[in-house]
Amino acid sequence: MKSELAEMALDEKLTIPGDDETPETVPVPHALVPHLDETAILLDIDGTLLDLMPTPREVWVPPGLSDTLNRLVERTSGALALVSGRSLNDIDLIFAPDVFRAVAGHGAEMRLSVDSEADDVHAPPLDKELKRRLAAIAKLSPGILLEDKGYSLALHYRLAPHAEKAIYESVSLIRADLPNAPIEVLPGKFVCEIKHSGFTKASGVHELMKHEPFRGRRPLFIGDDVTDETVFAIMPDMDGLAFSVGRRAMGVNGHFDAPSDVRAFLACLLDPR
């Protein structure tokens, strides 16, 4: 979303020419404000709400964002959820002391109530021997960071971009040795994640939308990465809206340029002036 949108009239439907000069609809806060009580707001975290950092532990919540999210929780009667590849524990550490409803671990964990721990855990832990073999890939180069989430394992290489090809080749060799292992490889922004197959962010969102306070509402999902594409794909079936960040993903209703634009848009939902 272009920064000039904040100064433009919000009572009109706005379009922005894309790279191919085809107008692309962008979310207009004024159009959604009257319907927040009928909307479910679903937000990816890294690269969507928060700016990407060299390592996962360096992300931080900018001033004002927590207040915006909590006010949106109030305006939607609780129908706001974070949808992330991070674990619930990681999400809570980032947003502490705030606690939000969430689909975590690419659908492996879910929290439907802010007063409880994970309400549902869909995935068993990865096999220990498989984890050991995958973890050894981190030794290919300094700068490869290993993140063990229990039900998945992520290899971050933002500090070692030259190692990308070697990482994926090593993962492919392990998969070839274990053709029956129920695992799936998720490529992301400078990260290769290996998780149990059979659950995704989309399966988590599908389950989330069956429960109060989300049931019967129109979902609005914002995400940035390849792993968010499964949610983009199901939004039309749910009469929902999908917006990508940093790129024009297939099948979305529009896109934002950067997480700062997403944060500005969310704030405008509360103050459409």
Side-chain angles (χ1 to χ4, degrees):
M1 189 170 73
K2 306 300 182 186
S3 59
E4 294 85 4
L5 286 180
E7 284 79 45
M8 297 179 69
L10 296 175
D11 58 349
E12 300 178 358
K13 185 166 183 173
L14 303 177
T15 59
I16 288 180
D19 296 336
D20 58 0
E21 299 185 355
T22 300
E24 181 175 85
T25 304
V26 299
V28 182
H30 179 76
L32 285 173
V33 168
H35 307 291
L36 280 180
D37 58 348
E38 302 171 1
T39 302
I41 300 176
L42 312 176
L43 304 166
D44 174 51
I45 298 175
D46 296 89
T48 297
L49 270 182
L50 306 182
D51 298 286
L52 293 172
M53 294 294 168
T55 68
R57 298 298 180 189
E58 293 180 67
V59 300
W60 59 287
V61 178
L65 178 58
S66 289
D67 179 63
T68 296
L69 294 177
N70 280 302
R71 290 175 65 193
L72 284 171
V73 168
E74 183 178 353
R75 288 285 302 277
T76 60
S77 301
L80 179 146
L82 304 176
V83 181
S84 177
R86 288 181 179 268
S87 67
L88 280 175
N89 184 62
D90 260 4
I91 293 172
D92 290 347
L93 287 175
I94 292 170
F95 289 93
D98 296 310
V99 178
F100 298 103
R101 292 172 174 84
V103 172
H106 300 290
E109 297 180 289
M110 186 178 302
R111 177 164 56 213
L112 297 172
S113 170
V114 295
D115 299 320
S116 70
E117 299 296 328
D119 292 284
D120 198 3
V121 178
H122 299 287
L126 282 178
D127 177 77
K128 289 183 179 180
E129 177 60 19
L130 173 61
K131 268 192 186 181
R132 186 190 65 78
R133 294 185 62 179
L134 291 170
I137 297 174
K139 298 178 182 178
L140 287 173
S141 174
I144 300 176
L145 303 178
L146 179 69
E147 184 182 9
D148 186 351
K149 302 179 184 179
Y151 42 79
S152 69
L153 190 144
L155 295 158
H156 298 270
Y157 54 91
R158 187 172 294 274
L159 300 178
H162 60 276
E164 178 180 19
K165 182 178 179 181
I167 289 171
Y168 281 97
E169 287 178 346
S170 298
V171 172
S172 294
L173 288 174
I174 294 173
R175 293 190 73 187
D177 284 345
L178 303 168
N180 297 321
I183 58 174
E184 179 182 1
V185 179
L186 297 178
K189 293 179 178 177
F190 295 102
V191 62
C192 174
E193 186 159 358
I194 303 91
K195 70 172 185 65
H196 269 284
S197 58
F199 65 93
T200 63
K201 286 186 177 181
S203 64
V205 167
H206 250 306
E207 182 64 26
L208 180 78
M209 294 300 297
K210 296 177 183 178
H211 301 274
E212 296 293 345
F214 302 93
R215 184 167 52 200
R217 290 173 175 258
R218 187 184 197 190
L220 165 66
F221 175 70
I222 308 176
D224 74 304
D225 212 342
V226 175
T227 60
D228 298 311
E229 292 178 357
T230 61
V231 185
F232 295 155
I234 66 172
M235 285 296 102
D237 295 335
M238 307 177 83
D239 191 31
L241 298 170
F243 294 90
S244 57
V245 183
R247 64 190 181 99
R248 296 177 59 188
M250 291 292 294
V252 298
N253 299 92
H255 81 286
F256 295 92
D257 286 341
S260 58
D261 296 315
V262 176
R263 297 191 292 267
F265 165 70
L266 294 174
C268 282
L269 289 180
L270 297 164
D271 185 7
R273 293 172 299 174

